[in-house]
Amino acid sequence: MSEREEGEVENADTKQHKRSNRFKSLDEKPVNQDGFAKEWPEEGLIAMDSPNDPDPSVTVKEGEIVEMDGKQREDFDFIDFFIADYAINVEKAEEALAIDSVEFAQRLVDINIAREDIIELTTAMTPAKLAEVVNQMNTLEMMMALQKMRARKTPGNQGHCTSVKDHPVQIAADAAEAALRGFDEIETTVGVARYAPFNALAQQLGSQAGRGGVLTQCAVEEATELELGMKGLTTYAETVSVYGTESVFKDGDDTPWSKAFLASGYASRGLKMRFTSGSGSEVNMGQAEGKSMVYLESRCVLVTKGCGVQGLQNGGISCIAIPSAVPSGIRGVLAENLITTMVDLEVASGNDQTFSHSHKRQMARTFPQLVAGTDLIFSGYSTMPNYDDMFAGSNFDSYDYDDYNVVQRDLKVDGGLKPIAEEDAIAVRNTAARAIQVVFRELGFPQITDEEVEAATYGDGSDDMPDRDQAADLKAAEELMEGDITGLDIVEILADHGFDDLAENMLNMLKQRISGDYLHTSAVIDGEFNVTSGVNDRNDYQGPGTGYRMSEERWEEIKDIRHAFDPEEV
């Protein structure tokens, strides 16, 4: 019998190869439950450097870009027009394009060249030039560049705060704990759209119970989102989406100009505004025009820049399954984060939607942004169990808090969070739950029972929460949306019922809308209501001893994990 015949089992109908036990075991590993694809450049299923990407070029005449990336002005689509006229530093464009891309990539990682010395050139690059520069860099080099190019020196973090039941008491309690853990921003969304005002109110109130100064948003339909902000129930927005091809824009009945008009609506009412994009969205819509994901994302980044908003949430986001399925896709996601910083925008660097069954791969996806530091390392760390995450689950959730804190401690990196004591978490959760109980009672909304307060104080997720009368809640939520109640009414109720600190925090957040200081690039607000941004906390990294260095106070916070023993007590 031949060697091949010995490895085969035959019966009357089928012939099967005998399998390796090693490979059978490997097939059972979580990573092999993920989806992977080979590259398909003709349809845009390629992360970087597609053979169909244009070569970078630019021609300027009388202060106007008349040719860009191989297209004459008369052949521009509306994205090209918008980028050429509003997003590029025209005065420096030809100089920036004349620099060899390898040489420029070297400047990005060179610690002897400061961010401020090259930002006027990176903001003068065309989409193809930005893509070509990052194509020259490996993952480590992109991390080095990201550490230097992010706008704000101090890194930060952002979390999701949702409930599969849209339970207002649970959302308030989770928001309070998230704020105590260090998140600079928290966002909620809804299971049922009409719950939006309750979720926004609960999150805003809860976050200020945990720590004053936390920014909040409610990710819903854009007009509703703006109205919630005008009522003082949110402080920022980031779900205005932009795309890299004209056909995808048209599918949404949008243009870059309509996005800019909407952005001005938020800014004029004192709301921080960030756009959303991310690799893979054009492929997902079947309209990538054969271009690489990073090239198309560079167009999204420049549209965002042209609209005048403060920053961009990118890094795959809801389409992360697409770039993560192709070779070099996670490197491409890091590249799009880097491009965002190169054009001097705040970057909320993804790490939000879950994409892999493998914990090792989940950590590997987050590692570059965590170690390099970004303005907001996550744009949606799930602050509750993933089964409650109405954004479709996050790469990290509340069960990963201790892992995340230990990794910060192991590597001495600042990922924006800190360990907290159990009793402190219980205290702020209880304050938030009792406060929203009072607010609901005083506004005549459906009663929040003591049982609900108790469940939210000590609970883990919505499985621990009593069910509510959703019909009654939705009726009251509509009244909140359609009536004259604003954030100021909430402040008054809290102050009248002994929640003085919380009332003051809520009032201070409303004041931010008037001063507008947090409308600067990469702005966040600390517990003393000081605004730090890319303006007053400029990133000056130039190698060891420069840039962000953890203070002793901050290091003591990160070191103090719950289960470390004290040698003096042994």
Side-chain angles (χ1 to χ4, degrees):
M1 183 178 289
S2 69
E3 183 177 334
R4 180 171 183 273
E5 289 169 332
E6 287 176 348
E8 296 175 348
V9 177
E10 296 187 33
N11 57 39
D13 302 313
T14 62
K15 180 186 288 184
Q16 294 180 320
H17 292 283
K18 184 175 181 179
R19 293 209 60 203
S20 155
N21 287 339
R22 173 74 53 80
F23 277 78
K24 285 196 289 186
S25 297
L26 285 170
D27 283 350
E28 298 299 318
K29 301 293 286 185
V31 72
N32 286 318
Q33 297 177 46
D34 293 353
F36 299 101
K38 295 182 178 180
E39 292 174 335
W40 189 6
E42 293 78 8
E43 295 299 327
L45 198 61
I46 181 171
M48 304 176 71
D49 201 17
S50 168
N52 304 312
D53 287 349
D55 293 328
S57 65
V58 73
T59 304
V60 178
K61 288 184 179 178
E62 298 178 352
E64 182 180 74
I65 292 177
V66 297
E67 179 274 332
M68 182 175 72
D69 294 342
K71 276 189 195 175
Q72 298 299 316
R73 190 173 178 91
E74 54 267 29
D75 298 323
F76 282 0
D77 63 22
F78 63 46
I79 295 178
D80 295 321
F81 273 116
F82 192 82
I83 290 173
D85 291 347
Y86 301 112
I88 292 176
N89 177 1
V90 177
E91 289 184 4
K92 290 285 183 178
E94 291 183 323
E95 179 184 344
L97 270 284
I99 300 171
D100 178 76
S101 292
V102 173
E103 180 192 338
F104 205 90
Q106 292 170 348
R107 293 189 193 185
L108 287 171
V109 300
D110 188 343
I111 61 172
N112 296 302
I113 299 176
R115 179 183 193 272
E116 63 185 15
D117 293 335
I118 55 174
I119 198 72
E120 64 177 9
L121 293 173
T122 54
T123 53
M125 291 181 175
T126 65
K129 184 66 173 178
L130 288 165
E132 187 178 83
V133 168
V134 297
N135 283 343
Q136 314 307 315
M137 307 170 78
N138 63 30
T139 297
L140 180 58
E141 290 160 350
M142 288 186 199
M143 292 167 63
M144 294 166 65
L146 190 59
Q147 182 173 218
K148 180 169 81 175
M149 294 306 295
R150 73 169 183 267
R152 193 182 66 239
K153 186 188 313 189
T154 307
N157 215 328
Q158 188 221 59
H160 290 160
C161 187
T162 61
S163 162
V164 73
K165 292 181 177 178
D166 288 319
H167 203 298
V169 196
Q170 180 198 352
I171 291 172
D174 277 334
E177 181 178 333
L180 185 65
R181 288 182 180 276
F183 288 99
D184 299 291
E185 296 183 355
I186 310 173
E187 65 171 323
T188 190
T189 189
V190 292
V192 177
R194 288 184 292 160
Y195 258 115
F198 272 9
N199 291 12
L201 167 62
Q203 181 185 237
Q204 173 89 323
L205 182 152
S207 66
Q208 301 311 304
R211 174 182 75 78
V214 175
L215 303 175
T216 63
Q217 77 144 339
C218 182
V220 288
E221 178 269 327
E222 290 166 353
T224 303
E225 195 168 317
L226 180 55
E227 195 169 349
L228 291 171
M230 292 168 64
K231 282 180 169 291
L233 302 179
T234 60
T235 44
Y236 78 99
E238 70 172 356
T239 48
V240 176
S241 299
V242 290
Y243 306 99
T245 62
E246 186 179 86
S247 50
V248 178
F249 258 111
K250 287 179 175 176
D251 248 3
D253 294 328
D254 263 323
T255 71
W257 288 268
S258 65
K259 297 294 186 184
F261 184 77
L262 181 60
S264 68
Y266 284 92
S268 66
R269 285 148 181 83
L271 290 165
K272 178 179 177 178
M273 160 56 73
R274 198 164 51 226
F275 279 2
T276 293
S277 61
S279 288
S281 59
E282 298 84 4
V283 183
N284 193 42
M285 297 283 282
Q287 295 166 330
E289 301 175 358
K291 305 299 193 299
S292 73
M293 298 179 201
V294 166
Y295 166 71
L296 294 180
E297 181 59 21
S298 69
R299 283 161 62 88
C300 295
V301 173
L302 286 173
V303 168
T304 302
K305 179 73 175 178
C307 286
V309 297
Q310 293 151 269
L312 181 67
Q313 168 190 225
N314 70 1
I317 312 301
S318 57
C319 291
I320 184 64
I322 295 174
S324 66
V326 298
S328 197
I330 296 300
R331 170 173 165 258
V333 164
L334 177 61
E336 66 186 67
N337 294 153
L338 174 58
I339 289 172
T340 307
T341 64
M342 288 169 64
V343 304
D344 204 21
L345 289 172
E346 173 184 66
V347 64
S349 51
N351 284 304
D352 52 350
Q353 187 156 317
T354 185
F355 76 102
S356 175
H357 296 81
S358 164
H359 293 315
K360 297 181 179 70
R361 199 165 177 235
Q362 290 166 357
M363 186 66 232
R365 184 261 176 272
T366 298
F367 192 79
Q369 291 85 4
L370 171 61
V371 173
T374 69
D375 297 306
L376 298 158
I377 294 163
F378 283 73
S379 48
Y381 185 122
S382 183
T383 67
M384 59 283 153
N386 257 337
Y387 76 80
D388 266 323
D389 193 328
M390 300 309 293
F391 289 96
S394 174
N395 202 36
F396 279 57
D397 73 358
S398 56
Y399 297 141
D400 298 314
Y401 274 143
D402 287 344
D403 294 85
Y404 193 82
N405 287 330
V406 170
V407 170
Q408 288 186 117
R409 182 178 184 264
D410 287 343
L411 301 178
K412 197 178 181 182
V413 296
D414 192 339
L417 302 187
K418 64 179 181 181
I420 60 173
E422 182 177 349
E423 57 270 28
D424 293 339
I426 289 171
V428 297
R429 293 181 71 92
N430 183 257
T431 298
R434 287 188 295 106
I436 197 157
Q437 182 185 39
V438 167
V439 169
F440 266 47
R441 186 185 69 217
E442 294 303 307
L443 292 177
F445 295 160
Q447 180 189 15
I448 290 174
T449 65
D450 291 341
E451 181 189 6
E452 289 176 282
V453 171
E454 180 83 355
T457 299
Y458 296 99
D460 177 38
S462 60
D463 285 349
D464 297 322
M465 297 301 300
D467 291 332
R468 288 181 59 79
D469 182 342
Q470 285 201 331
D473 271 353
L474 290 173
K475 184 173 182 297
E478 283 185 4
E479 292 171 3
L480 172 59
M481 200 67 184
E482 294 170 359
D484 297 328
I485 298 167
T486 69
L488 206 54
D489 297 303
I490 310 301
V491 171
E492 188 173 356
I493 291 170
L494 293 170
D496 287 345
H497 291 80
F499 294 94
D500 294 345
D501 292 344
L502 178 52
E504 186 172 354
N505 287 348
M506 294 279 285
L507 182 60
N508 280 332
M509 293 308 289
L510 294 175
K511 289 179 180 176
Q512 300 297 324
R513 309 274 296 281
I514 299 170
S515 67
D517 289 342
Y518 81 128
L519 301 186
H520 290 302
T521 297
S522 303
V524 292
I525 303 174
D526 67 19
E528 303 300 319
F529 291 91
N530 301 308
V531 174
T532 57
S533 71
V535 174
N536 62 358
D537 187 32
R538 296 172 63 188
N539 189 1
D540 58 358
Y541 178 76
Q542 281 195 265
T546 67
Y548 177 71
R549 298 287 148 177
M550 203 181 295
S551 68
E552 282 303 314
E553 181 184 5
R554 177 67 177 138
W555 179 223
E556 288 299 323
E557 282 184 341
I558 288 177
K559 282 195 295 186
D560 191 21
I561 59 173
R562 292 188 299 136
H563 298 300
F565 73 88
D566 184 345
E568 295 184 2
E569 297 178 357
V570 175

